[in-house]
Amino acid sequence: MALLKEILQKSFHQKKEPLTLEGKEVYEYTRVSTKAQLDNNSSIENQQAVLRAFVLKNNLKVTASFGHTNESAKDDFARPEFMKLITKVRSEKKKPFAIIVFKISRFSRTGGNAISLVNELVNNLGVHIVESCSGKSTITPRGKNEIFSQLLTANNENLERQEIIIPFMKVFLEKGGRFGTAPAGYDHYGP
């Protein structure tokens, strides 16, 4: 009985060591959704600046960099740069400690599919996901839960956009509207 009491006291009164990222090797991933975003704003550069500041602050070593282009996050496995990242993580003998992204929505917007992928990365491969703008990560159980919540939120945002935009697009087309422009040398005629 005394031994059990001693064990319980130690387990409840032990100070937990703070988790440190210092010196860890990481991969980075950035993306924007559309070609227009890639061409007309500096989102990739801004994401990289925040990532690099986080890397410097935490004394991390970026050993591979992916993305830096436009890839819609509607389907994780249809994104070439994202797949390069995942393939490299899966195939490397020496795994990175983490994949660093600006925001979790930059990693994925597929909800449950993304959670499954993150579970594989963390539980099977020992590779964490870290959001550089907030410092949230899958390193702790609470952080992992917050990351999962953000992945579901990103998916929900996509669903809400679809529910709003698609009906208006249908009405626009039914009224004779057209999306895009005709190729060079052609004109739009008729409904």
Side-chain angles (χ1 to χ4, degrees):
M1 187 71 161
L3 179 60
L4 179 59
K5 186 176 178 181
E6 183 181 329
I7 290 170
L8 288 174
Q9 283 179 336
K10 283 183 181 179
S11 65
F12 286 117
H13 297 291
Q14 277 182 330
K15 288 187 178 179
K16 292 183 180 175
E17 292 296 315
L19 296 169
T20 179
L21 298 173
E22 191 163 328
K24 305 283 188 191
E25 292 184 359
V26 298
Y27 293 173
E28 68 177 12
Y29 178 73
T30 59
R31 74 164 186 88
V32 291
S33 299
T34 66
K35 179 86 168 117
Q37 288 174 315
L38 185 65
D39 294 339
N40 300 327
N41 69 32
S42 54
S43 180
I44 293 284
E45 292 83 11
N46 292 337
Q47 289 178 48
Q48 285 181 303
V50 173
L51 286 171
R52 294 300 159 100
F54 185 85
V55 164
L56 281 172
K57 178 181 176 188
N58 292 285
N59 194 26
L60 301 171
K61 181 179 179 187
V62 176
T63 56
S65 186
F66 298 88
H68 316 304
T69 189
N70 61 297
E71 295 183 323
S72 173
K74 287 187 291 188
D75 181 0
D76 293 332
F77 301 107
R79 294 186 277 157
E81 275 296 306
F82 185 75
M83 284 311 302
K84 284 182 195 175
L85 164 69
I86 300 304
T87 300
K88 183 165 176 77
V89 168
R90 287 175 173 160
S91 66
E92 285 295 304
K93 209 171 203 175
K94 183 179 182 196
K95 308 283 187 214
F97 176 75
I99 298 167
I100 306 231
V101 294
F102 169 66
K103 291 244 343 137
I104 294 306
S105 65
R106 301 297 84 201
F107 181 77
S108 180
R109 287 184 166 276
T110 61
N113 292 336
I115 289 171
S116 177
L117 179 58
V118 170
N119 257 332
E120 175 196 347
L121 292 169
V122 175
N123 297 341
N124 300 347
L125 303 175
V127 178
H128 292 282
I129 306 296
V130 177
E131 184 181 72
S132 61
C133 72
S134 70
K136 291 179 184 172
S137 73
T138 58
I139 297 169
T140 65
R142 170 71 62 200
K144 189 175 177 184
N145 193 47
E146 288 176 4
I147 296 293
F148 288 170
S149 179
Q150 285 180 271
L151 288 167
L152 288 172
T153 298
N155 182 250
N156 192 47
E157 288 170 355
N158 274 9
L159 293 173
E160 286 182 11
R161 284 186 197 127
Q162 287 176 4
E163 291 168 352
I164 294 168
I165 293 171
I166 292 174
F168 288 111
M169 290 170 71
K170 286 180 181 176
V171 170
F172 176 75
L173 291 172
E174 287 168 357
K175 289 182 177 180
R178 297 184 183 274
F179 295 116
T181 58
Y186 292 87
D187 292 318
H188 282 294
Y189 291 107

